[in-house]
């Protein structure tokens, strides 16, 4: 071939129309495959073919940025992490549901309808998915926003995260203006995968799939959401009247037509007995769903009738959630161990012959306390009934059959701590046995686990295995010792090489300063959970003030009860705690004040002008940050401007600011201002 021809070919521009057509065709195929895979759960193409299409589309978009649109399948890539979620109002209130436990309460629900309307309506029955409630807003078929339910009126804008979820279409199959409600769930298989990854990374596993799904959706870093497989099931159209829908059945059909998944196995039934049959059938088949449900939602099918029935302040009168009783299974008690809690409480834990309950294998069950265990009459070898309800750890309900006398070992209350062998005591008026040795290793380990946990110091990578070794090797005897460890110390741990050791060491350095509420929570004071810790931090403002607080002043804090106030005072007066706090201080660990949390966002009501080029963020990000903190980004400087942020190469706005004597901030000063506000760094 003549060289000129090659040259000619290389420079000849592809026909833009043909590129546009190819881009369009690729997007349509990818969307169709996504729909088949994530919504219908029936893959239509091999992974390799799918990847090839995706790569080709990426190539074309890179070469022709003019064709790139935000709803292209390539744009599911996770954006930059944010500092916090913006609170946004829902278009209409997201109601919750009233519950019915048992057939009697279901009948009462219908009787109320009958009383008012003298009608026994047809219903739609749907699985009640145990996930995270989400509203999606589409405009002309394009995903505009994803918002968590929040309190029903205002939720959190989680759009960047939602955009990474392939079960949520970025573009609907019709250009509808629609507000959709649904549930995000994680399958039990994905939950197991996620937890094993967390355990491998030395992090705390999630208690159940719902928490795991919620954790993934409420990630500040969308890349973390993208790495989890989450399903979304749509069950409701909020603006049904606008869309002229007449029934729930039509609603579900529309959602499916638009390319959304609806809960599997929804069924229209003519009457309540049909609903009862559905409830029984779904119960029998719930394992096969692959994700957790906690009941059945029974809804009046007719939307005009729903409107007539209306709602109470919390829940509609046209729907009810039938809750399945907690699942119970029989198994055998192989042994009983005694575990030592954070506060020294000794809890008998039955070691069970492993049994599947509600999708997970149960091999341990709490007996709460010795008294209860004795009351239940548990003996080793006995056949027992075990229940798992929601998030609660499995518990023994009753003894079904005692083991034969020669095989049975009756339960005996221990007299000494299984960890430190010190004598156990019972506080006056309490049934709980306690180890009161303040240097008991098992107690300390439990406290340490709490100290580093997600809602406390949130030190990444410090899972149970790492902590146990640190304590066993005698490297950590006080919380403060953690912060004094060097990389060499971590190398003493099993399977810990330079890279992990450096990572663990680094994780600690970044958590030397935490907000006061976290600091208080991490101390593990009895009765002081996240909520109470937040109240104390907000009202007292500093650790010094907390330490100086009297019983009276604590009691005055709204919502802090007398018992909690007493616990706080006793706790802080104990010599071990005084010593621990001193050590933390010496190790350079501090509780950061949370002034901003008390006064609200940093820029409330401020009019902010940004000029010139900023290094750390784009103009849009800077303006978003201003809005997030309650401020108003403005286009021009006037006397009412609160301040002007000046980046590199500023224009005339910087001069105008000087002229009008409006304060001028450098980028660093602006950053510092953002960091000091709630959610700024934590
Ligand atoms: S309908 C106004 N349908 O259950 C009625 N809710 O306990 C709106 N849920 O907040 C709710 N599966 O998050 C409906 N098939 C389903 C559901 C469902 C799960 C959740 C939903 C709601 C909660 C109420």
């Amino acid at each position: 071939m003549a060289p000129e021809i090659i040259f000619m070919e290389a420079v000849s521009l592809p026909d833009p129309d043909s590129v546009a057509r190819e881009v369009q065709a690729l997007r349509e195929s990818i969307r169709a495959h996504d729909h088949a895979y994530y919504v219908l759960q029936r893959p239509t193409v091999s992974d390799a073919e799918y990847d090839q299409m995706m790569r080709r589309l990426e190539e074309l978009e890179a070469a022709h940025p003019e064709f790139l649109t935000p709803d292209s399948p390539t744009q599911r890539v996770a954006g930059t992490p944010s500092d916090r979620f913006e609170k946004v109002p829902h278009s209409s209130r997201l109601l919750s549901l009233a519950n019915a436990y048992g057939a009697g309460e279901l009948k009462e629900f219908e009787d109320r309808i009958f009383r008012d309307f003298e009608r026994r309506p047809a219903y739609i029955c749907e699985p009640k998915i145990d996930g995270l409630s989400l509203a999606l807003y589409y405009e002309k078929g394009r995903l505009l926003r994803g918002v968590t339910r929040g309190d029903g009126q205002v939720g959190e804008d989680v759009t960047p995260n939602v955009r990474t979820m392939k079960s949520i279409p970025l573009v609907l199959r019709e250009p509808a203006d629609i507000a959709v409600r649904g549930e995000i769930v994680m399958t039990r298989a994905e939950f197991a995968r996620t937890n094993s990854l967390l355990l491998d990374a030395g992090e705390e596993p999630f208690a159940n799939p719902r928490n795991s799904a919620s954790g993934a959706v409420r990630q500040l870093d969308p890349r973390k959401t993208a790495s989890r497989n989450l399903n979304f099931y749509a069950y409701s159209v909020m603006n049904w009247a606008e869309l002229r829908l007449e029934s729930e059945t039509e609603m579900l059909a529309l959602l499916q037509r638009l390319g959304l998944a609806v809960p599997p196995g929804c069924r229209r039934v003519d009457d309540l007995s049909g609903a009862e049959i559905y409830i029984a059938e779904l119960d029998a088949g719930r394992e096969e769903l692959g994700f957790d449900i906690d009941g059945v939602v029974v809804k009046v099918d007719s939307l005009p009738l729903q409107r007539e029935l209306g709602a109470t302040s919390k829940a509609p009168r046209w729907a009810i959630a039938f809750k399945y009783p907690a699942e119970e299974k029989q198994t055998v008690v192989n042994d009983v161990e005694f575990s030592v809690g954070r506060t020294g409480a000794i809890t008998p834990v039955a070691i069970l012959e492993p049994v599947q309950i509600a999708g997970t294998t149960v091999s341990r069950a709490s007996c709460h306390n010795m008294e209860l265990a004795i009351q239940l009459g548990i003996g080793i070898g006995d056949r027992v009934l075990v229940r798992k309800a929601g998030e609660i750890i499995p518990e023994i309900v009753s003894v079904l059959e005692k083991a034969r006398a020669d095989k049975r070992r009756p339960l005996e209350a221990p007299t000494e701590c299984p960890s430190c062998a010190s004598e156990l005591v019972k506080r006056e008026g309490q049934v709980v046995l306690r180890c009161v040795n303040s240097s008991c290793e098992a107690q300390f380990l439990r406290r340490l686990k709490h100290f580093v946990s997600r809602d406390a110091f949130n030190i990444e990578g410090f899972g149970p295995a790492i902590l146990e070794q640190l304590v066993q090797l005698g490297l950590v005897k006080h919380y403060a010792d953690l912060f004094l460890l060097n990389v060499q110390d971590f190398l003493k741990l099993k399977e810990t090489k330079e890279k992990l050791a450096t990572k663990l060491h680094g994780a600690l350095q970044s958590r030397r300063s935490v907000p006061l509420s976290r600091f208080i929570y991490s101390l593990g004071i009895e009765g002081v959970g996240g909520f109470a810790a937040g109240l104390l931090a907000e009202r007292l403002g500093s650790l010094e003030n907390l330490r100086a607080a009297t019983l009276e002043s604590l009691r005055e804090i709204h919502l802090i009860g007398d018992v909690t106030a007493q616990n706080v005072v006793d706790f802080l007066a104990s010599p071990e705690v005084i010593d621990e706090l001193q050590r933390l201080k010496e190790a350079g660990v501090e509780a950061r004040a949370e002034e901003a949390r008390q006064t609200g966002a940093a820029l409330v009501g401020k009019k902010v002008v940004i000029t010139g080029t900023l290094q750390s963020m784009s103009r849009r990000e800077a303006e978003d940050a201003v809005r997030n903190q309650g401020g108003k980004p403005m286009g021009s400087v006037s006397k009412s401007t609160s301040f002007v942020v000046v980046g590199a190469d500023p224009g005339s706005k910087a001069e105008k600011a000087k002229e009008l004597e409006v304060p001028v901030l450098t980028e660093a000063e602006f950053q510092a201002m953002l960091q000091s506000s709630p959610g700024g760094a934590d």
Side-chain angles (χ1 to χ4, degrees):
M1 220 180 276
E4 309 84 53
I5 297 173
I6 295 172
F7 180 69
M8 289 289 289
E9 269 187 3
V11 294
S12 76
L13 290 172
D15 167 13
D17 280 355
S18 80
V19 175
R21 272 196 302 276
E22 190 180 353
V23 165
Q24 184 63 18
L26 281 166
R27 284 182 189 160
E28 274 168 22
S29 315
I30 293 170
R31 274 180 202 135
H33 293 313
D34 278 347
H35 180 255
Y37 188 94
Y38 295 99
V39 176
L40 307 176
Q41 299 184 351
R42 279 198 304 267
T44 42
V45 71
S46 73
D47 286 0
E49 283 170 282
Y50 181 90
D51 288 347
Q52 210 176 359
M53 277 191 268
M54 203 63 158
R55 268 203 301 274
R56 174 73 184 145
L57 180 58
E58 277 165 0
E59 248 168 52
L60 288 174
E61 287 174 345
H64 302 272
E66 68 276 19
F67 293 139
L68 188 61
T69 57
D71 52 38
S72 167
T74 57
Q75 300 306 299
R76 285 199 189 272
V77 284
T80 42
S82 64
D83 283 342
R84 62 172 196 153
F85 300 112
E86 200 182 333
K87 298 255 191 300
V88 285
H90 289 289
S91 60
S92 58
R93 188 136 181 248
L94 266 57
L95 295 169
S96 184
L97 292 171
N99 294 328
Y101 297 91
E105 291 186 15
L106 195 62
K107 176 93 184 14
E108 282 170 26
F109 158 72
E110 183 173 83
D111 286 347
R112 279 195 295 275
I113 297 177
F114 188 74
R115 217 175 32 231
D116 295 341
F117 291 91
E118 295 185 345
R119 252 188 289 180
R120 297 206 180 269
Y123 299 101
I124 189 121
C125 300
E126 301 171 2
K128 184 167 186 306
I129 300 166
D130 194 11
L132 178 80
S133 194
L134 185 80
L136 295 176
Y137 297 92
Y138 285 92
E139 204 176 80
K140 296 202 174 60
R142 298 190 187 267
L143 178 65
L144 202 65
R145 210 171 237 184
V147 186
T148 63
R149 179 172 180 273
D151 64 4
Q153 274 166 316
V154 176
E156 287 176 320
D157 185 342
V158 287
T159 313
N161 295 354
V162 161
R163 286 179 60 87
T164 69
M165 292 175 49
K166 294 214 177 158
S167 52
I168 295 183
L170 295 176
V171 185
L172 297 175
R173 305 184 137 197
E174 292 170 25
D177 285 334
I178 190 171
V180 173
R181 243 189 109 166
E183 204 84 357
I184 292 181
V185 268
M186 188 179 268
T187 60
R188 288 194 282 264
E190 177 67 7
F191 168 64
R193 187 187 76 94
T194 307
N195 265 359
S196 82
L197 288 177
L198 287 173
L199 282 170
D200 284 350
E203 290 180 35
E204 233 185 302
F206 284 102
N208 55 41
R210 189 164 60 81
N211 287 5
S212 187
S214 167
V217 174
R218 300 187 65 260
Q219 271 293 337
L220 291 172
D221 184 351
R223 281 169 302 190
K224 292 203 177 159
T225 315
S227 69
R228 306 279 178 248
N229 292 312
L230 297 164
N231 293 344
F232 177 77
Y233 293 109
Y235 47 70
S236 189
V237 174
M238 292 190 264
N239 55 337
W240 57 262
E242 254 170 61
L243 298 167
R244 296 177 210 281
L245 296 171
E246 291 285 327
S247 67
E248 288 278 340
T249 314
E250 278 181 27
M251 207 183 251
L252 292 174
L254 172 68
L255 289 167
Q256 274 180 299
R257 204 172 71 222
L258 294 177
L260 289 148
V262 300
C266 297
R267 187 192 298 167
R268 185 182 184 281
V269 295
D270 291 335
D271 51 31
L272 203 64
S273 63
E276 282 165 5
I277 294 169
Y278 180 89
I279 288 168
E281 284 182 7
L282 189 68
D283 194 16
R286 64 198 274 202
E287 287 292 307
E288 281 136 51
L289 286 173
F291 55 81
D292 286 351
I293 62 166
D294 59 352
V296 168
V297 185
V298 179
K299 304 174 182 172
V300 167
D301 191 36
S302 154
L303 296 174
L305 179 54
Q306 282 189 5
R307 187 189 305 230
E308 279 185 68
L309 285 163
T312 66
S313 65
K314 277 209 228 121
R317 290 198 188 87
W318 44 263
I320 194 124
F322 178 92
K323 292 296 224 33
Y324 287 122
E327 203 178 330
E328 295 177 344
K329 282 271 176 74
Q330 294 188 19
T331 188
V332 173
V333 177
N334 285 337
D335 199 0
V336 173
E337 283 178 2
F338 294 92
S339 87
V340 189
R342 203 152 38 99
T343 56
I346 306 287
T347 316
V349 180
I351 310 301
L352 305 170
E353 191 57 39
V355 58
Q356 282 278 318
I357 312 182
T360 54
T361 308
V362 172
S363 51
R364 297 166 73 85
S366 165
C367 311
H368 299 296
N369 61 54
M370 204 53 214
E371 203 130 308
L372 217 66
I374 290 170
Q375 246 176 42
L376 283 170
I378 299 167
I380 295 156
D382 289 354
R383 177 161 284 278
V384 292
L385 198 61
V386 181
R387 163 167 70 193
K388 202 180 82 180
E391 284 171 38
I392 305 161
I393 50 166
E395 60 178 11
I396 294 185
V397 184
S398 60
V399 174
L400 295 172
E401 191 189 330
K402 288 199 189 310
R404 267 185 22 214
D406 57 334
K407 295 230 173 93
R408 187 169 194 270
R409 235 171 62 222
L411 196 62
E412 274 170 41
T415 52
E416 44 184 57
C417 172
S419 168
C420 67
S422 58
E423 201 182 326
L424 298 178
V425 297
K426 223 183 243 186
R427 284 191 198 154
E428 207 164 293
Q430 291 195 354
V431 291
V432 180
L433 273 173
R434 263 176 217 280
C435 163
V436 290
N437 168 15
S438 57
S439 46
C440 167
E441 201 175 282
Q443 265 184 66
F444 176 63
L445 189 58
R446 293 295 290 264
R447 285 204 298 273
L448 197 61
K449 283 179 185 168
H450 176 77
F451 183 83
V452 303
S453 66
R454 216 169 264 137
D455 295 329
F457 264 68
N458 191 21
I459 305 175
E460 269 188 45
F462 282 68
I466 303 260
L467 294 175
E468 272 159 36
Q469 291 184 72
L470 289 172
V471 172
Q472 270 159 19
L473 292 171
L475 291 166
V476 176
K477 293 197 170 79
H478 299 94
Y479 302 144
D481 296 342
L482 281 172
F483 297 91
L484 303 174
L485 294 170
N486 53 39
V487 176
Q488 294 305 316
D489 291 325
F490 287 111
L491 289 173
K492 294 177 190 148
L493 309 182
K494 266 187 267 164
E495 290 167 34
T496 307
K497 305 242 162 51
E498 195 74 30
K499 193 169 158 211
L500 178 58
T502 314
K503 193 173 142 210
L504 292 170
H505 182 254
L508 279 163
Q509 306 320 312
S510 66
R511 306 301 294 166
R512 259 179 213 281
S513 161
V514 295
L516 180 60
S517 55
R518 281 180 177 270
F519 193 105
I520 298 174
Y521 174 72
S522 72
L523 296 175
I525 308 170
E526 258 184 276
V528 181
F531 180 70
L535 285 177
L536 292 170
E538 196 174 300
R539 291 298 296 271
L540 298 166
S542 73
L543 189 58
E544 290 67 39
N545 290 349
L546 175 69
R547 295 184 72 176
T550 60
L551 187 59
E552 282 61 45
S553 64
L554 290 173
R555 275 177 173 167
E556 273 167 20
I557 299 178
H558 182 51
L559 299 176
I560 295 283
D562 288 357
V563 179
T564 304
Q566 186 67 56
N567 283 345
V568 173
V569 170
D570 292 348
F571 182 87
L572 293 168
S574 110
E576 290 85 18
V577 173
I578 294 172
D579 173 59
E580 187 67 81
L581 291 175
Q582 182 60 26
R583 285 171 187 270
L584 283 168
K585 194 171 169 189
E586 280 164 16
V589 180
E590 59 161 18
R592 225 173 31 237
E594 286 172 286
E595 307 91 338
R597 231 175 261 275
Q598 299 160 48
T599 51
L603 304 181
V604 174
K606 296 262 188 328
K607 291 181 182 166
V608 182
V609 174
I610 298 161
T611 180
T613 314
L614 302 183
Q615 302 300 313
S616 59
M617 52 176 109
S618 71
R619 177 69 60 88
R620 257 197 70 193
E621 283 167 340
E623 288 177 355
D624 278 352
V626 170
R627 271 186 220 106
N628 280 342
Q629 302 297 341
K632 239 191 183 168
M634 310 292 286
S636 59
V637 184
S638 73
K639 271 199 178 144
S640 69
T641 305
S642 311
F643 60 83
V644 178
V645 180
V646 179
D649 301 318
S652 60
K653 288 176 196 165
E655 278 162 33
K656 182 95 187 269
K658 254 191 226 157
E659 205 175 287
L660 297 174
E661 292 183 307
V662 170
V664 168
L665 259 64
T666 63
E667 185 177 347
E669 285 166 337
F670 176 57
Q671 276 288 358
M673 185 179 269
L674 294 176
Q675 295 289 320
S676 69
S677 48
D682 241 295

